[in-house]
Amino acid sequence: MSIESPVPRTAVPLGITDPVESARAELKAALSAIEEKTNVPKQVARKTNEVVTTARGFARRNPTGAAAAAVGVAAAVGVIVWGIVRLYTR
């Protein structure tokens, strides 16, 4: 008994014997791969979800460190904004 594993959208399934069907599957996989690489909003959303998940895990394990990191990030953003405003007003 063989268990079929799901094939990713960017892969060509094995066992296709018809050359036309094989070419169609390869084209479909190539177009899916191009779409995956060039879809910037999808990549940003995926990366944002990874960062949020990592940050939440860090906050659960180390709440004090997470609070210190939040204060540090806020201070860094404040300094950057202050620097930009100062350069602009000169």
Side-chain angles (χ1 to χ4, degrees), residues 2-77:
S2 66
I3 299 173
E4 288 189 32
S5 61
V7 177
R9 287 181 13 167
T10 58
V12 178
L14 298 175
I16 299 176
T17 56
D18 183 28
V20 174
E21 191 175 331
S22 176
R24 285 182 182 153
E26 288 176 11
L27 178 61
K28 182 179 175 183
L31 291 174
S32 292
I34 291 169
E35 191 263 336
E36 287 288 324
K37 281 189 170 186
T38 59
N39 193 344
V40 175
K42 188 182 222 180
Q43 290 178 358
V44 168
R46 185 179 298 140
K47 190 63 176 173
T48 302
N49 287 337
E50 289 175 15
V51 170
V52 167
T53 302
T54 303
R56 285 182 179 161
F58 177 70
R60 282 191 202 103
R61 288 188 312 272
N62 189 357
T64 306
V71 169
V73 168
V77 169

